[in-house]
Amino acid sequence: MYRCIGTLQRFMGVGIDLQGARRTLCAAVPLAIRAAALSALAPGFGALPWGPVPMDVGCAPAF
């Protein structure tokens, strides 16, 4: 999970440089919100691993 954030920070940094911080965050934060809802509403333990990865995508620009 931490490798995912570290890798995505580079891509999000490029996105911030090319598109601007507002556009990049507006694209990524809704994904983090959906991932948090997916994790909270997971029907079982099998669905829980699918939540953190999109959450990392959404949180990577903040770091």
Side-chain angles (χ1 to χ4, degrees):
M1 181 165 49
Y2 296 111
R3 290 181 189 171
C4 184
I5 281 185
T7 303
L8 288 169
Q9 282 180 347
R10 293 181 187 195
F11 294 113
M12 292 296 174
V14 170
I16 289 172
D17 288 341
L18 295 176
Q19 300 294 325
R22 183 178 298 154
R23 287 185 181 176
T24 305
L25 285 170
C26 286
V29 170
L31 185 60
I33 293 169
R34 283 188 223 128
L38 174 71
S39 294
L41 301 173
F45 289 115
L48 283 177
W50 295 101
V53 173
M55 198 177 309
D56 291 345
V57 174
C59 293
F63 295 117

